[in-house]
Amino acid sequence: MLDNASKAFFHLLARSATLKKIASRYGMRRPSSFARRFIAGETVEEAIEAARQVEASGLLQTLDYLGESVATLKEADAATRDYLRVVDAIINAGIGRNLSLKLTQLGLDVDRASAVDNLRRILERADKFFVRLDMESSHYTETTLGIFETLWQQNYRNIGVVLQADLHRTEQDAERIIALGARIRLVKGAYREPATVAYPKKADVDAAYARLMRRLLLEGTYPAIATHDEAMIREAQRYAAEQHIAKERFEFQMLYGIRRDLQTSLVSQGYRVRVYIPFGRQWFPYFMRRLGERPANVGFVVRGIADEAR
Ligand code: FDA
């Protein structure tokens, strides 16, 4: 994870229409194209194929049909209908029933009530699924948790939420969700945040992550330790062993295309590992967040564009 200045740089690049155009033209067009390292494809069929391969290696998966920040109710409705088709495709394919989605994809920026209605439409169809609400920037934290709590109280129990260790508020939010008995995915946080709401230094984010992780392992309901950071993973293993927390009581999660070696090594040690598989045509913002996390990825993309453009 980079510091906030670097995140800010990639945030700026992510808003460049020219860059988006170049990336969209070259990023996915061939099986070897550079964006395919992180994104399973643009169609649900490609995502299901990736999910099958992941499951064949003994890993679990969650599918994310990419999209965020829709600006009209019509777009939100279209995204919801797309998600309903994804649900049907997952059922037909017989793969693990687990989805991750973003509330701004369902219209949160346009109208909160419509976004909740859209989410309910998906939850009703996705009976026997587990649906995780991804966490977006801190601007949405309170609203996302509020919606999550409302649905939980209305007895939607096949849902979980994400908390970001970089935010100052997260220790309190964790207690809120632990008290409900709901599942938390713990991440470090992928968004550029002001120092008033988030730790600017990576060392402080890492320390908060380790604290929260121990708390969730001890008191949380089936927490998801979502990180590629080997030091955090080792600490989770050490703490779970020390506290006699069985390997079945939590899972590790990692992103598609990142540290596949670590994913399979954990499975071979008997841990549960879930791979987050993003797909769909709206992959650019997700892709830019992955670049922002690791400068070395930029070189790999520039080489990819040069190869593709030849
Ligand atoms: P850190 O950034 O310290 O990286 C540790 C090591 O992992 C690096 O040294 C490198 O080896 C490897 N690594 C990390 N990122 C890489 C990359 N992009 N490319 C190549 N290698 C990389 N965030 C959020 O704000 N809301 C959300 O809902 C989610 N959801 C989510 C789900 C899952 C399953 C995961 C794993 C992550 C998220 N995230 C997220 C992203 C998260 O906040 C964070 O930005 C990334 O996981 C990177 O942080 P790490 O914990 O891996 O540690």
Side-chain angles (χ1 to χ4, degrees), residues 188-208:
K188 288 192 187 174
Y191 295 83
R192 179 183 66 129
E193 302 288 357
T196 44
V197 301
Y199 300 107
K201 291 197 189 123
K202 178 167 166 46
D204 293 330
V205 178
D206 288 350

Side-chain angles (χ1 to χ4, degrees), residues 46-61:
E46 288 172 298
I48 284 173
E49 180 48 33
R52 285 196 207 284
Q53 284 178 19
V54 159
E55 289 185 350
S57 322
L59 297 148
L60 305 161
Q61 49 78 22

